[in-house]
Amino acid sequence: MQSTLNRGLKLLFRSVILALIVLSVIELTYRVITAYYAKNAFTAALIDKHAYAKSISSPKIILVGGSNLAFGINSAKLSKMTGMPVVNMALLAPLGIDFILSDALGYINKGDIVIMSFEYDVFPKGDVESQLSVVDFVPEDKHFVTYKDGLAEKWKAQFLHRLQAPLSIEIILQNPTVADPYAIYFRKAFTPQGDIVSHLNNITRTVDAGPNTTSLFPYEGQAETMNAFTERFRQKGAKAYFLYPTIAESFYKNSAVAVGKLNERYKKHLKAPILSEPGQSVYADSLCFDTVYHLKGKARDEHTEKVAGALLRLGK
């Protein structure tokens, strides 16, 4: 009996030691790879956006939202037209409205103008894996991660995130530049102001939303989340506006009913003034790059002129 118990305890002890060794190897691998990955990682660009936001004086224009803003604005042109410095903080829609606005809040000061622009299918609570890919390089954002309820879910998400670290090795070995006609999503793909420009010299791509129609977007909580942050921006002495995302014409036509319903909801409930109607952010499919939300070439400048004009009409 005692011998069986001893064997069981030894097996348990060895299992625990083995588990600790495996977990230590996973953690070490994650930390080493993340450290080297920072030079190329797309989400590490947020470090540079933060630094630029700190370097410019207020009043300034801060663009916050999904990648439609990162691809769709020429910040240098917007700055020239409005006479105000501009920082484009936009990165990824899957981060979620709450995470994106929480991240930007610390860089907003008295007199600033905040322009929020989120894709039609974005949720208030974002994708945890996407958020952790930001926290890798911006650890202060760890408080904004929208984990599911329960400590076990938090540990599970962090463990799965660490298991994916080896997938970044290939990117570490690369040295992408804006001049590369195939490279798009990497840290140095942005201008100092925060606009993506890596795609401007890329090979031509075709965007088409296809025949499927959408009658309703999952808008639950979007307006409420933006309203909460709009109030926090105002408390800091900043003005907040909402801008409909850039969108391909084929997607807009297929989603006209859903867009109309969302527009009615926003006009009724959104506290931030809306800079334009949804149709003013619609562009021909040929002017979109790799998704229905991403503009290329002259469309960026055209959209920037619309945004600047709307701000100037409102007296900023």
Side-chain angles (χ1 to χ4, degrees), residues 52-88:
Y52 187 75
K54 288 181 179 179
S55 73
I56 57 178
S57 59
S58 295
K60 60 182 178 290
I61 295 174
I62 301 179
L63 305 170
V64 289
S67 57
N68 86 90
L69 272 181
F71 279 85
I73 292 290
N74 181 335
S75 291
K77 187 179 186 69
L78 182 61
S79 179
K80 184 176 181 179
M81 293 184 70
T82 59
M84 297 176 67
V86 178
V87 57
N88 192 338

Side-chain angles (χ1 to χ4, degrees), residues 14-27:
R14 289 172 180 170
S15 299
V16 170
I17 293 299
L18 179 61
L20 290 174
I21 291 173
V22 171
L23 290 174
S24 296
V25 170
I26 291 173
E27 182 66 19

Side-chain angles (χ1 to χ4, degrees), residues 9 25 35 40 44 103 107 111 145 152 163 167 174 187 195 205 214 218 243 251 267:
L9 289 174
V25 170
N40 288 338
D103 171 79
Y107 300 89
V145 178
L163 285 179
L167 299 177
Q174 297 174 352
R187 180 172 178 175
D195 308 332
R205 303 180 183 217
T214 302
L243 176 70
F251 180 93
K267 284 184 175 180

Side-chain angles (χ1 to χ4, degrees), residues 91-285:
L91 194 66
L92 294 169
L95 293 173
I97 298 174
D98 189 87
F99 186 98
I100 291 170
L101 296 182
S102 294
D103 171 79
L105 185 62
Y107 300 89
I108 294 168
N109 303 310
K110 184 177 181 180
D112 289 349
I113 292 176
V114 183
I115 298 178
M116 303 178 290
S117 183
F118 296 101
E119 286 75 359
Y120 288 111
D121 50 359
V122 70
F123 291 89
K125 305 298 181 184
D127 171 59
V128 171
E129 175 58 29
S130 297
Q131 294 169 354
L132 290 175
S133 71
V134 167
V135 174
D136 283 342
F137 312 108
V138 188
E140 59 267 30
D141 279 3
K142 64 183 179 182
H143 305 294
F144 310 143
V145 178
T146 54
Y147 294 108
K148 294 180 180 179
D149 294 336
L151 190 59
E153 288 295 331
K154 178 179 179 179
W155 288 347
K156 177 183 176 182
Q158 292 180 347
F159 178 70
L160 292 176
H161 177 66
R162 280 156 170 74
L163 285 179
Q164 295 189 51
L167 299 177
S168 307
I169 292 177
E170 182 181 355
I171 299 176
I172 291 173
L173 299 175
Q174 297 174 352
N175 187 32
T177 66
V178 171
D180 188 336
Y182 297 97
I184 308 168
Y185 298 96
F186 56 99
R187 180 172 178 175
K188 294 181 180 180
F190 300 81
T191 64
Q193 293 97 332
D195 308 332
I196 290 181
V197 291
S198 57
H199 67 302
L200 296 182
N201 68 329
N202 267 232
I203 57 174
T204 301
R205 303 180 183 217
T206 301
V207 170
D208 188 342
N212 297 326
T213 59
T214 302
S215 59
L216 185 68
F217 290 119
Y219 55 69
E220 189 66 35
Q222 289 182 345
E224 291 77 8
T225 302
M226 284 188 277
N227 285 345
F229 279 94
T230 294
E231 182 57 34
R232 296 177 74 178
F233 297 154
R234 288 175 179 170
Q235 289 174 359
K236 299 187 75 169
K239 296 179 181 178
Y241 297 95
F242 176 76
L243 176 70
Y244 276 102
T246 53
I247 197 71
E249 187 176 17
S250 60
F251 180 93
Y252 182 73
K253 288 181 177 179
N254 291 350
S255 311
V257 173
V259 171
K261 291 177 181 177
L262 187 65
N263 190 31
E264 289 178 10
R265 179 177 172 80
Y266 280 178
K267 284 184 175 180
K268 184 177 180 180
H269 298 288
L270 208 59
K271 292 182 179 179
I274 301 175
L275 288 179
S276 61
E277 292 294 322
Q280 293 175 280
S281 294
V282 176
Y283 294 87
D285 289 13

